[in-house]
Amino acid sequence: MSHSPPLLSRTVGRRRALQFGAIGALGLTAGCTSANGPVALPEAAERGRPSPGGTLRIARPANSRAEGLHPAASLSAYEYLGALYNRLVKLDEAGTPVPDLAQDWDVSDDAMRWTFRMRDGVQFHDGRRFTSRDAAYTIAQILDPDLASPQLGVLSPVMSAGGLRASDPTTLVIELDAPHSDLPSLLSAYQCYVIPEDSGADIARSGVGTGPFRLDSFRPGGRGRVLAYEDHFAGRPTLDEIEFYSVQDTQARTNALIAGQVDLLSQTNLDFASAQVVAASSKATIARVKNGQWYTIPLLATSEEFSDVRVRQAIKLAYDPARILAVAAQGQGTVGNDNPVPPTDATYLDLPHERDPERAAALLAEVGRPDFRFEISTSSLDPVFTPMAVAFVNSLREAGIRASVRNESADSYYTEVWMQKPAMATYWFTGRPVDQLLNQIFRSGSSYNESAWSNETFDSVLDAARAEVDPERRKQHYQDAQRLIVEEGATLTPMFADRLVGISRDVLNYHEYGFEFDYINIGLR
């Protein structure tokens, strides 16, 4: 089995390109087995005491050359952010907001005023002291419509820049425009990493933050490096540095890992067969992130094909989420049943999927589309996209729906296909707080509302949840919102798949939750 060498010269340099290309002949053999049968994939990465220092080499997709290091921007270099910055608040593994740069906070009885108290003595990488003015400036950047931050649609319904006040160097007061009883969870998003005051014009290149690493070099869509920040408030990281290599082709990234030329594959959810090859190799293995990938099939609600809710309901009745999980992810995950909230979330509403092809066909006949046909777009950008799309269209046939799969260019998938074609395969990382998930991806008019579904009742339910201070009543509102998505929404959620991350056997303490791994404790043998 042979493969053409990947074109890497523009992203990793000529010498590295030759090295990566040379191992292309290794290939990936589907269904790899050991002498004793199929390779069992590890449940978690190995933990232990790493050696101090060392360089972690991360291979990432070659993203847009317009990408930068401004956390709030839509084209941020995701892998660098957790190394360079801190937020006011982060989430623990249970999804509970815990201190980061803010050491504590409180809220007024009417949920209209929040007060955050900052850590004292924290410094940015350039020596400036971190204060509440930096925190206020960061949030104001997100609220600036000209920046078009994906987090704007989450924060702007409840606050404006005029409500931000640094009352002293360590105290930030936020006077809201509308009540919100769980504001800290919204400030845990990766777009909310704190940047220095007045740095908006140059932060995309400077990367100055308070994080455990400081920027040494960065080339958009290319190579970069970060170095350990000795004065980080939580302690010096174990590693000395992290190097980033941009490699567009998934197989080239995987081959580089197997050959020991990189230590970690970022934004690369390996398919089950490739993960077995990696796990069977001598230099690499797998770290499993349970239900880490939320796979969706958005049906564009503004398109001629899917503007009628009855057509969307027919599709949901006709397809088989369990079959998609079995085929596309080899059962490595959890059936989604069109509910975007993961089963591990405290607000999760269990609504079993009702498959009824006959009723689906009757609904389509009712709207005058007995021979309904459409096309779903997919690409090689993620190895699960195409098998998911194929399993999806096959499961529709019993209802008389004739769908076809169209393979699109991976390079332009999220600029020319996503949110533009009537149906497509895509995914999100899990780990968002439920309020952010529902507002950012499903609220009317949100820049990340990939199906363009708009429902005034749904929006009002979200508003009620934000204003509710009683936890049980707030949970009920979020469950009402989930029910509306399942019954009337335009986004299918067939499954939550385990993310299978390729790592070197020399890596210790790779531990991921939310949107990032533990940059302080990860290390090498």
Side-chain angles (χ1 to χ4, degrees):
M1 184 176 182
S2 63
H3 301 276
S4 300
L7 301 175
L8 306 176
S9 58
R10 288 178 292 179
T11 58
V12 297
R14 177 178 173 81
R15 182 177 180 183
R16 298 296 290 178
L18 291 173
Q19 290 175 334
F20 280 122
I23 64 171
L26 286 174
L28 295 174
T29 306
C32 177
T33 61
S34 69
N36 298 317
V39 177
L41 300 182
E43 289 299 316
E46 186 175 349
R47 293 179 178 265
R49 178 173 293 180
S51 300
T55 300
L56 182 73
R57 301 161 299 172
I58 296 179
R60 61 193 289 262
N63 293 323
S64 167
R65 295 196 178 194
E67 72 175 353
L69 301 174
H70 196 318
S74 58
L75 286 174
S76 56
Y78 163 75
E79 293 86 354
Y80 289 78
L81 303 184
L84 296 174
Y85 305 106
N86 291 99
R87 291 157 291 199
L88 292 180
V89 177
K90 61 185 179 181
L91 299 180
D92 64 14
E93 292 183 70
T96 303
V98 295
D100 200 1
L101 288 175
Q103 61 182 359
D104 61 65
W105 50 85
D106 56 57
V107 61
S108 61
D109 291 341
D110 60 0
M112 289 291 291
R113 184 180 67 253
W114 284 84
T115 303
F116 293 84
R117 284 165 287 276
M118 308 296 125
R119 294 182 187 271
D120 201 6
V122 176
Q123 288 189 326
F124 286 102
H125 301 149
D126 61 1
R128 279 182 280 181
R129 177 192 177 194
F130 161 70
T131 74
S132 58
R133 292 179 62 89
D134 303 300
Y137 177 80
T138 296
I139 299 173
Q141 282 276 289
I142 297 170
L143 294 171
D144 183 353
D146 291 339
L147 186 64
S149 173
Q151 194 69 357
L152 173 64
V154 177
L155 297 185
S156 61
V158 296
M159 70 169 69
S160 54
L164 303 169
R165 179 168 54 89
S167 60
D168 63 51
T170 60
T171 306
L172 172 66
V173 178
I174 303 178
E175 301 281 356
L176 299 180
D177 299 330
H180 198 300
S181 57
D182 193 23
L183 183 65
S185 69
L186 300 190
L187 301 179
S188 69
Y190 70 82
Q191 293 94 353
C192 296
Y193 285 111
V194 174
I195 62 176
E197 185 179 16
D198 297 329
S199 67
D202 57 9
I203 194 67
R205 294 293 177 266
S206 71
V208 173
T210 61
F213 290 85
R214 58 181 177 83
L215 187 67
D216 179 69
S217 63
F218 170 70
R219 184 160 57 89
R223 187 173 175 174
R225 184 171 72 157
V226 296
L227 306 176
Y229 179 43
E230 302 288 343
D231 297 322
H232 187 249
F233 67 85
R236 184 197 191 279
T238 300
L239 294 165
D240 284 336
E241 60 184 69
I242 302 175
E243 291 184 346
F244 299 93
Y245 300 93
S246 292
V247 185
Q248 184 62 26
D249 183 72
T250 301
Q251 181 170 301
R253 292 196 296 277
T254 308
N255 285 342
L257 176 70
I258 292 172
Q261 294 180 332
V262 297
D263 304 305
L264 173 64
L265 304 185
S266 176
Q267 293 192 55
T268 307
N269 180 32
L270 296 173
D271 62 82
F272 187 70
S274 298
Q276 285 204 311
V277 174
V278 170
S281 70
S282 62
K283 296 183 178 180
T285 186
I286 294 297
R288 184 193 299 265
V289 182
K290 196 72 176 174
N291 292 335
Q293 303 273 123
W294 163 34
Y295 282 94
T296 70
I297 300 174
L299 309 175
L300 199 61
T302 54
S303 68
E304 187 273 334
E305 291 92 335
F306 301 112
S307 60
D308 193 316
V309 66
R310 292 169 295 178
V311 173
R312 304 195 298 266
Q313 289 170 339
I315 296 294
K316 293 177 182 181
L317 288 166
Y319 93 108
D320 187 352
R323 180 62 180 163
I324 290 177
L325 176 67
V327 170
Q330 288 73 48
Q332 306 293 304
T334 304
V335 172
N337 291 336
D338 297 329
N339 187 347
V341 176
T344 52
D345 192 279
T347 70
Y348 172 72
L349 178 64
D350 187 6
L351 290 171
H353 182 266
E354 177 190 2
R355 186 165 189 251
D356 190 339
E358 290 186 4
R359 187 175 165 210
L363 272 175
L364 291 173
E366 180 182 311
V367 297
R369 295 184 174 183
D371 300 313
F372 185 53
R373 298 173 183 267
F374 69 94
E375 189 174 73
I376 178 172
S377 295
T378 183
S379 87
S380 61
L381 187 68
D382 183 280
V384 172
F385 283 178
T386 297
M388 178 173 74
V390 171
F392 172 64
V393 301
N394 287 342
S395 70
L396 296 176
R397 290 176 180 169
E398 194 175 342
I401 301 170
R402 295 293 179 261
S404 58
V405 177
R406 177 183 178 87
N407 190 51
E408 310 275 7
S409 169
D411 292 340
S412 58
Y413 196 65
Y414 280 106
T415 57
E416 298 179 9
V417 177
W418 185 57
M419 298 180 68
Q420 297 182 53
K421 295 299 180 71
M424 62 172 290
T426 187
Y427 78 92
W428 302 80
F429 284 2
T430 56
R432 288 172 172 81
V434 65
D435 183 274
Q436 179 178 332
L437 186 160
L438 296 175
N439 278 278
Q440 190 174 59
I441 304 172
F442 295 94
R443 180 182 277 273
S444 302
S446 171
S447 62
Y448 270 8
N449 184 338
E450 60 184 355
S451 69
W453 178 57
S454 180
N455 185 295
E456 291 183 1
T457 301
F458 176 81
D459 295 346
S460 66
V461 169
L462 294 185
D463 291 338
R466 289 181 153 187
E468 181 56 66
V469 295
D470 180 79
E472 284 304 312
R473 288 199 291 266
R474 185 165 66 244
K475 176 181 177 179
Q476 184 60 56
H477 288 311
Y478 286 136
Q479 292 187 335
D480 290 344
Q482 293 169 55
R483 188 182 298 276
L484 282 168
I485 290 172
V486 171
E487 295 179 353
E488 300 183 27
T491 295
L492 310 181
T493 295
M495 63 181 177
F496 297 94
D498 295 351
R499 183 157 58 252
L500 304 177
V501 181
I503 62 172
S504 165
R505 292 186 182 272
D506 288 333
V507 172
L508 295 174
N509 303 331
Y510 177 85
H511 182 54
E512 177 186 334
Y513 60 93
F515 290 90
E516 63 198 25
F517 60 84
D518 182 351
Y519 285 87
I520 292 179
N521 294 305
I522 191 171
L524 303 169
R525 295 185 191 277

